[in-house]
Amino acid sequence: MMEAKLAHGPLTGIRVIDMTSVLMGPFASQALGDMGADVIKVEAPQGDLVREIGPARNDGMGPVFLNANRNKRSIVLDLKSKEGMQAMHRLLEGADVLMYNVRPQAMARLGLAYEDVAAVNPRIVYAGLFGFGQDGPYAARPAYDDLIQGAATLSSLIAQASGGIPRYVPTAIADRVVGITGVNGILASLLARERTGRGDKVDIPMFETMVGFVMGDHMGGLTYEPPLDRGGYARQLSPERRPYQTRDGHICALVYTDKQWRGFLREIGRETLMEEDARFSTYAQRSQNVDYVYGVLAGIFMERSTDDWMRLLERADVPFMPLHTLESVLEDPHLKATGFFRIVDHPTEGAIRSMRAPMVWKNNPPSEPRPAPRLGQHTREVLAELGYPPEQIDVMAAAGARAGARAGAG
């Protein structure tokens, strides 16, 4: 059995075997590690593909990997070998959670379907994050973030709101939303296990999750049968819904409630607009005339500088934020005050900028985070915890290195 590790956080004592790769699954397992779980990242000899994305100081340690794999231990196992699968079974015997994000059919071919794993450990939470629910015709299809964005209507909504060209959101929003949903499913399953003593199999499909995420805003009149309209949330789809250009830059602002409108109009000297123009008079009227209302606001915001608007909006108690770039957000005063971005010393990558977990616990604060691991960094450590003798660990480590070299050559 594996030894308990000293750790802190609300998930202290929970062990996660993480077979996921790329982004969706690693983002989810990182969240569990941030909460104190002991996350053991099982990598194939060639390593997680995402290790190679983006600029890097060393091979296999790119920025996307570094920012999705903190608080994990990496071990290399060749699951196509008898020895690798035996080690995997030993890992599963002492685990609380198994996470994977390949298609379920691939897990079955490996001999790691739910029934196989539950036979080894009936208390395990077996969590799959993959493309599609397994009772529909897309069940065996592969899926990627871009594909799911388009299928879940995001790309057509962007086209509707911004000139007719379908585009993808410039971040892996499906991977991350589904990853967060997966964390919720895993935590709920762990809680149920504490009550019932039984483990569970939880499927977290990307397509269904993202359709629900998007259509919660945009179902509109399609909610009713027969439909009352063609769907869509008019304010979110307005081509005028965008950061406002000021005299010298841009600002993000939302004048939303009646109270906010009155305060805003008072500050700019147009107190009577809500009485004089019915299109501004109530929330319902503003919603029905959102393109016009936002167009008027766009003209008003051109009249002052960004700094002037920030002071005015604060006096009026109107919500606003700066329009940040990837570089300027690093200098945001609030993020600096909360210590969100930190420069940490990675043992192989040197000084790197890291982001902390955004949640804060008063009574169960997590331990200081461990940096993202090198490929196989903890193989010997974990195998020793599993009870393997040093000479066998040497053989297995050498076999993994040879398999990785062959995969790289291919």
Side-chain angles (χ1 to χ4, degrees), residues 14 96-98 114 122-128 181-204:
I14 296 296
D96 298 286
V97 179
L98 172 65
Y114 173 66
R123 284 177 51 82
I124 203 162
V125 172
Y126 181 94
T181 304
V183 171
N184 289 338
I186 290 167
L187 295 179
S189 297
L190 287 171
L191 179 60
R193 190 187 68 176
E194 292 305 302
R195 293 171 173 168
T196 66
R198 297 191 309 271
D200 206 348
K201 173 178 180 283
V202 55
D203 292 351
I204 306 100

Side-chain angles (χ1 to χ4, degrees), residues 356-389:
R356 70 165 176 81
M359 295 175 288
V360 178
W361 288 267
K362 178 177 176 59
N363 295 323
N364 293 288
S367 304
E368 192 69 15
R370 69 165 81 207
R374 302 185 309 278
L375 176 61
Q377 177 180 339
H378 303 97
T379 300
R380 293 178 178 275
E381 174 185 311
V382 172
L383 291 178
E385 291 173 2
L386 289 171
Y388 283 95

Side-chain angles (χ1 to χ4, degrees), residues 53-176:
I53 296 177
R57 291 173 178 153
N58 293 293
D59 289 345
M61 297 299 284
V64 179
F65 179 84
L66 289 173
N67 286 300
N69 287 280
R70 64 175 175 259
N71 285 323
K72 302 178 187 181
R73 298 192 285 168
S74 169
I75 79 168
V76 169
L77 292 179
D78 182 359
L79 297 181
K80 295 178 181 178
S81 71
K82 178 182 177 182
E83 295 78 11
M85 188 56 72
Q86 286 174 343
M88 186 68 181
H89 278 207
R90 287 203 199 183
L91 281 172
L92 294 172
E93 288 172 2
D96 298 286
V97 179
L98 172 65
M99 297 176 62
Y100 70 94
N101 66 343
V102 296
R103 285 172 277 180
Q105 294 78 8
M107 291 294 283
R109 288 194 296 271
L110 278 172
L112 291 174
Y114 173 66
E115 293 73 18
D116 302 316
V117 173
V120 175
N121 180 355
R123 284 177 51 82
I124 203 162
V125 172
Y126 181 94
L129 300 92
F130 42 75
F132 306 96
Q134 293 301 289
D135 52 358
Y138 300 165
R141 284 190 182 184
Y144 289 96
D145 184 279
D146 289 0
L147 310 183
I148 298 300
Q149 283 196 40
T153 78
L154 272 173
S155 297
S156 63
L157 289 170
I158 290 171
Q160 187 174 339
S162 59
I165 300 175
R167 298 186 186 276
Y168 300 124
V169 177
T171 191
I173 189 170
D175 281 342
R176 295 184 186 277

Side-chain angles (χ1 to χ4, degrees), residues 24 30 32 37-39 61 64 75 88 109 115 119 121 132 158 161 218 221 225 269 274 315 321 336 367 384 396 409:
M24 175 172 60
Q30 176 174 265
L32 298 174
D38 179 21
V39 179
M61 297 299 284
V64 179
I75 79 168
M88 186 68 181
R109 288 194 296 271
E115 293 73 18
N121 180 355
F132 306 96
I158 290 171
H218 290 286
E225 188 58 42
M274 293 176 74
R315 289 196 305 270
M321 285 296 286
K336 281 191 169 185
S367 304
M396 293 176 69

Side-chain angles (χ1 to χ4, degrees), residues 325-356:
T325 65
L326 295 175
E327 293 176 320
S328 69
V329 73
L330 302 178
E331 304 301 322
D332 183 274
H334 179 85
L335 295 178
K336 281 191 169 185
T338 61
F340 182 74
F341 292 109
R342 305 170 59 196
I343 302 297
V344 299
D345 188 25
H346 191 285
T348 61
E349 307 312 300
I352 64 170
R353 181 172 284 104
S354 180
M355 294 174 283
R356 70 165 176 81

Side-chain angles (χ1 to χ4, degrees), residues 215 219-231:
M215 294 298 281
M219 188 80 83
L222 298 174
T223 301
Y224 307 94
E225 188 58 42
L228 303 183
D229 61 26
R230 300 182 65 185

